[in-house]
């Protein structure tokens, strides 16, 4: 089991940030540079310079490399929207993109987020370019291409608001059943776990939903954990609740055992959080404040992880913060 963080290269020029990242986390996820708009900016023209820099840096520093993301309705290149596609041609483009990228990084990526956020809140399919042209075939195509390119990498579907029972999580379960019935390799479900303080799924709900996925024959991963405040600055009571909310995800993962492969936060320092630019007036979601001091949630997470180590996880280096 790993405990890691997403990050961007431009942040590594901050020495204090980089020292904390390398000291505290056992895995690294590239927040942007492996996404389609960067790796294939022109059709058939691949650019892995930034992705290679990230991958080589992570592996040089003996971190587990979690690769992200292959097919998503955001951050794909503009040339995809500039053409009128037949189903056959778009599926071929998706296959070639996924196969080429995964093949390039073969042997370096422990896992791949293959398809990201393909569902609406009510469990229906998101009306993306990929779905509108190919139906659900693009999902199968992406997983087939990834598994052909690197059979050893762990492949997962990733989404938000699927951490507790409901129509969206039920749709993910049906997706897993469908892919497995066709003998398509899917190894795990990624739970983004972007929560709001006081509104997060409970530990019991998360454990129940994780187990529901596991019972289908796949593993789970907490892939993008953070817990944001809707109103700033946070109160003392709010900070205490944030700690509880973080611990709920950690404990649920630990309780389902090794079928929860690991946990990643979506960056760890509020200075570099994605939230203020996406949710105006919200934030303070991470384990470190912008001045690199730890939050109460940090202490709570460490306590939960230490309890997990005592319960039998062998690799303290990768489990600890």
């Amino acid at each position: 089991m790993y405990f890691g963080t997403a990050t961007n290269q431009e942040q590594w020029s901050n020495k204090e940030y980089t020292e904390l990242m390398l000291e505290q986390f056992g895995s690294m996820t590239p927040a942007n540079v492996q996404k389609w708009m960067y790796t294939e900016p022109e059709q058939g023209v691949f650019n892995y310079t930034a992705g290679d820099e990230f991958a080589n840096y992570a592996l040089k520093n003996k971190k587990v490399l979690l690769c992200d993301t292959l097919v998503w309705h955001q951050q794909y290149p503009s040339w995809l929207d500039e053409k009128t596609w037949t189903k056959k041609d778009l599926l071929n483009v998706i296959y070639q993109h996924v196969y080429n990228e995964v093949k390039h990084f073969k042997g370096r990526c422990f896992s791949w987020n293959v398809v990201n956020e393909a569902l609406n809140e009510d469990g229906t399919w998101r009306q993306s370019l990929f779905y509108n042209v190919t139906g659900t075939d693009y999902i199968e195509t992406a997983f087939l291409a990834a598994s052909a390119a690197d059979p050893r990498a762990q492949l997962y579907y990733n989404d938000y608001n699927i951490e507790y029972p409901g129509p969206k999580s039920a749709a993910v379960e049906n997706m897993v059943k469908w892919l497995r019935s066709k003998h398509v390799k899917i190894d795990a479900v990624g739970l983004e776990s972007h929560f709001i303080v006081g509104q997060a799924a409970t530990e019991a709900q998360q454990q129940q939903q994780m187990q529901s996925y596991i019972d289908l024959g796949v593993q789970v991963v907490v892939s993008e954990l953070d817990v944001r405040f809707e109103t700033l600055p946070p109160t003392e009571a709010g900070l205490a609740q944030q700690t509880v909310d973080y611990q709920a995800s950690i404990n649920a993962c630990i309780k389902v055992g090794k079928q929860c492969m690991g946990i990643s936060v979506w960056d760890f320092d509020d200075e570099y959080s994605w939230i203020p630019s996406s949710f105006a007036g919200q934030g303070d979601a991470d384990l470190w404040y912008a001045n690199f001091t730890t939050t109460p949630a940090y202490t709570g997470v460490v306590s939960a992880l230490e309890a997990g180590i005592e319960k039998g996880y062998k690799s303290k280096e990768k489990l600890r913060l």
Side-chain angles (χ1 to χ4, degrees):
M1 179 182 176
Y2 55 78
F3 196 104
T5 184
T7 183
N8 290 296
Q9 278 110 309
E10 55 264 30
Q11 293 152 209
W12 301 348
S13 60
N14 186 319
K15 182 179 179 182
E16 189 169 7
Y17 174 94
T18 303
E19 287 178 349
L20 279 172
M21 178 179 70
L22 296 179
E23 174 189 280
Q24 297 284 322
F25 295 95
S27 69
M28 294 172 61
T29 302
N32 287 297
V33 296
Q34 288 180 325
K35 292 185 168 72
W36 196 334
M37 67 183 292
Y38 299 104
T39 57
E40 194 182 0
E42 300 175 52
Q43 186 174 358
V45 178
F46 293 88
N47 183 348
Y48 299 119
T49 302
D52 282 335
E53 178 187 36
F54 189 106
N56 293 339
Y57 181 87
L59 297 176
K60 177 183 176 182
N61 286 284
K62 299 181 180 180
K63 305 301 179 185
V64 178
L65 178 61
L66 312 176
C67 294
D68 185 283
T69 296
L70 294 169
V71 181
W72 187 28
H73 66 278
Q74 297 183 36
Q75 289 187 267
Y76 61 76
S78 59
W79 57 263
L80 279 167
D81 284 327
E82 292 167 357
K83 295 187 178 184
T84 300
W85 299 98
T86 65
K87 179 177 180 178
K88 178 181 179 181
D89 286 346
L90 185 56
L91 288 175
N92 182 61
V93 163
I94 292 167
Y95 189 96
Q96 292 303 320
H97 169 73
V98 172
Y99 182 87
N100 275 283
E101 181 163 359
V102 175
K103 187 77 169 180
H104 178 83
F105 290 101
K106 182 179 181 181
R108 290 185 281 175
C109 298
F110 172 76
S111 64
W112 275 102
N113 172 2
V114 178
V115 176
N116 199 53
E117 301 174 359
L119 293 165
N120 296 315
E121 292 305 294
D122 62 359
T124 58
W125 297 104
R126 185 185 295 276
Q127 302 296 301
S128 66
L129 165 68
F130 308 114
Y131 178 80
N132 291 341
V133 175
T134 77
T136 59
D137 287 358
Y138 81 93
I139 297 173
E140 179 181 358
T141 294
F143 276 95
L144 287 172
S147 61
D150 188 352
R152 298 185 65 181
Q154 296 291 297
L155 309 181
Y156 65 90
Y157 171 76
N158 194 59
D159 215 326
Y160 57 90
N161 292 346
I162 60 167
E163 302 86 3
Y164 48 86
K168 193 172 186 181
S169 54
V172 175
E173 293 175 29
N174 288 333
M175 184 193 304
V176 171
K177 293 175 186 176
W178 160 57
L179 290 171
R180 286 178 58 80
S181 74
K182 302 190 77 172
H183 304 289
V184 175
K185 174 180 164 68
I186 176 171
D187 299 295
V189 173
L191 295 84
E192 292 186 15
S193 303
H194 293 301
F195 292 132
I196 297 170
V197 172
Q199 300 177 39
T202 66
E203 179 182 321
Q205 288 174 321
Q206 292 183 63
Q207 183 181 348
Q208 176 185 346
Q209 190 56 54
M210 287 178 183
Q211 191 62 53
S212 294
Y213 297 131
I214 292 166
D215 289 345
L216 298 176
V218 295
Q219 296 177 295
V220 293
V221 54
V222 179
S223 57
E224 305 183 21
L225 177 63
D226 50 37
V227 186
R228 70 183 186 270
F229 287 91
E230 288 187 299
T231 303
L232 297 173
T235 63
E236 186 175 338
L239 290 170
Q241 183 61 53
Q242 185 185 50
T243 301
V244 170
D245 293 339
Y246 261 105
Q247 287 182 317
S249 295
I250 309 301
N251 291 335
C253 179
I254 289 170
K255 285 183 177 180
V256 298
K258 294 184 179 179
Q259 295 306 307
C260 183
M261 293 191 296
I263 301 163
S264 292
V265 294
W266 204 249
D267 226 316
F268 61 91
D269 187 273
D270 287 331
E271 175 71 18
Y272 301 108
S273 173
W274 67 281
I275 288 168
S277 62
S278 299
F279 300 95
Q282 301 185 35
D284 282 15
D286 297 325
L287 299 177
W288 275 261
Y289 295 117
N291 63 0
F292 294 106
T293 59
T294 56
T295 68
Y298 170 89
T299 303
V301 167
V302 170
S303 296
L305 291 174
E306 288 177 344
I309 293 169
E310 292 176 1
K311 291 178 184 296
Y313 288 106
K314 295 180 180 179
S315 179
K316 184 174 182 179
E317 176 64 27
K318 291 180 182 177
L319 182 59
R320 72 174 178 88
L321 260 176

